[in-house]
């Protein structure tokens, strides 16, 4: 596995020739952030050795190296989900490549279902913590010592300073923003009313089908992690609206200008 990671990293390194300041992963319906980047190199996933391919509508399949707010960024347009049938190793593969490329800062985004009664559709939420309920752990198995320790500290999964900078960018631009706890399930079904109720009772504010594996391996490698989520639907024991992928994409679209403002503010002002 490590050999594959290194092979992919050296392929990318040969093209971009530089160490990006940030890696950014775009979640469901958040591809528009891509248009904000001044691209220098655009790599199709299919042309990158060992890179998996995406299978979900609303997820692209490109790795974009360019600049955003004067910083060097490497952006993944389209991520790999466990529910697509990939192994956890595959889901987290790109994040490990980013680390081998020397990237220290990871910005993630996703769409999620809100269970906090103060949330509305198209609200944006900064993750302050998460609850991992995925059925498989990305670090299960022999530890790759070159990447990080066997037992990983998770006391600050999301970087506090990044959260503060993003929060400030939101406030300065009159954008309503929350900080919340994300619970990760494998999907691909959305939750039943009873399941949304359980998620709420467990202390989470929102639920989704991604992100946590990436965060775990990033922390394993001691990267600084930030994640912003768009609330694309609301669930709860007493709510029984139907949810569809289309709705998720529509809500993500609506929230996009705010996500862009916050991410730009963070990239510009961190570290
Ligand atoms: N549940 C799980 N994943 C999601 C949801 C949801 O309600 N909305 C967007 N992704």
């Amino acid at each position: 596995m490590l050999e594959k990671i290194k092979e992919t990293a050296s392929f990318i390194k040969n093209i971009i020739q530089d160490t990006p300041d940030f890696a950014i992963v775009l979640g469901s319906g958040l591809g528009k952030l891509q248009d904000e980047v001044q691209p220098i190199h655009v790599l199709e996933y299919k042309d990158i050795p060992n890179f998996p391919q995406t299978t979900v509508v609303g997820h692209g399949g490109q790795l974009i190296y360019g600049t955003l707010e004067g910083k060097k960024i490497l952006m993944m347009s389209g991520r790999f989900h466990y529910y697509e049938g990939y192994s956890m190793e595959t889901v987290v593969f790109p994040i490990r490549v980013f680390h081998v490329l020397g990237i220290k800062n990871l910005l993630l985004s996703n769409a999620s279902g809100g269970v906090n009664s103060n949330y509305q559709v198209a609200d944006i939420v900064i993750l302050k913590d998460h609850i991992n309920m995925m059925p498989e752990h990305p670090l299960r198995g022999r530890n790759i010592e070159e990447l990080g320790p066997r037992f990983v500290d998770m006391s600050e999964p999301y970087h506090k300073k990044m959260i503060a900078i993003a929060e400030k960018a939101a406030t300065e631009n009159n954008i309503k923003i929350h900080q919340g706890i994300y619970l990760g399930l494998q999907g691909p079904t959305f939750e039943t009313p009873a399941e949304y109720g359980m998620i709420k009772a467990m202390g989470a504010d929102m639920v989704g089908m991604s992100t946590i594996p990436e965060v775990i391996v990033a922390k394993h490698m001691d990267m600084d992690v930030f994640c912003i989520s768009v609330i694309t639907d609301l669930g709860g024991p007493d709510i029984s609206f139907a949810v569809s992928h289309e709705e998720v994409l529509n809500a993500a679209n609506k929230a996009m200008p705010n996500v862009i403002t916050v991410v730009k503010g963070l990239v510009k002002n961190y570290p």
Side-chain angles (χ1 to χ4, degrees), residues 139-171:
L139 297 178
R140 176 171 175 268
R142 193 178 61 81
N143 184 47
I144 308 176
E145 290 294 326
E146 293 91 331
L147 296 181
R150 168 78 292 182
F151 300 105
V152 180
D153 173 59
M154 291 296 285
S155 59
E156 191 182 328
Y158 302 91
H159 199 264
K160 290 210 172 88
K161 192 171 164 206
M162 286 199 209
I163 294 175
I165 292 169
E167 182 91 37
K168 189 159 171 269
T171 314

Side-chain angles (χ1 to χ4, degrees), residues 111-114 189-191 196 207-209 232-233 243 248:
S112 64
T189 41
F190 293 113
E191 289 67 35
Y196 282 121
V207 56
M209 309 172 193
T232 55
D233 51 275
V243 192
V248 167

Side-chain angles (χ1 to χ4, degrees), residues 86-262:
Y86 298 116
S87 66
M88 275 296 178
E89 227 171 43
T90 303
V91 169
V92 301
F93 182 83
I95 311 298
R96 287 176 158 162
V97 170
F98 297 156
H99 166 75
V100 173
L101 283 169
I103 304 174
K104 288 260 170 289
N105 305 311
L106 178 65
L107 308 192
L108 303 163
S109 58
N110 64 41
S112 64
V115 296
N116 182 319
S117 0
N118 295 320
Y119 291 2
Q120 289 172 336
V121 169
D123 276 2
I124 58 177
V125 188
I126 298 169
L127 273 65
K128 63 177 180 191
D129 205 339
H130 71 225
I131 299 173
N132 181 17
M133 295 285 285
M134 294 254 175
E136 202 187 321
H137 200 285
L139 297 178
R140 176 171 175 268
R142 193 178 61 81
N143 184 47
I144 308 176
E145 290 294 326
E146 293 91 331
L147 296 181
R150 168 78 292 182
F151 300 105
V152 180
D153 173 59
M154 291 296 285
S155 59
E156 191 182 328
Y158 302 91
H159 199 264
K160 290 210 172 88
K161 192 171 164 206
M162 286 199 209
I163 294 175
I165 292 169
E167 182 91 37
K168 189 159 171 269
T171 314
E172 284 172 0
N173 291 282
N174 293 317
I175 294 168
K176 176 170 79 161
I177 199 158
H178 311 276
Q179 286 187 29
I181 298 171
Y182 176 95
L183 187 142
L185 293 175
Q186 73 168 308
T189 41
F190 293 113
E191 289 67 35
T192 66
E195 286 165 346
Y196 282 121
M198 171 195 77
I199 289 156
K200 192 172 181 174
M202 288 176 93
D205 299 296
M206 57 207 160
V207 56
M209 309 172 193
S210 67
T211 305
I212 291 182
E214 288 114 304
V215 174
I216 290 172
V217 295
K219 294 311 295 177
H220 181 232
M221 302 178 299
D222 203 24
M223 295 171 87
D224 292 344
V225 181
F226 174 85
C227 181
I228 190 161
S229 185
V230 175
I231 302 298
T232 55
D233 51 275
L234 300 171
D238 311 313
I239 304 177
S240 53
F241 305 126
V243 192
S244 69
H245 188 53
E246 200 185 4
E247 264 178 285
V248 167
L249 298 183
N250 284 342
N253 228 3
K254 199 171 152 200
M256 213 48 235
N258 290 342
V259 174
I260 288 171
T261 303
V262 172

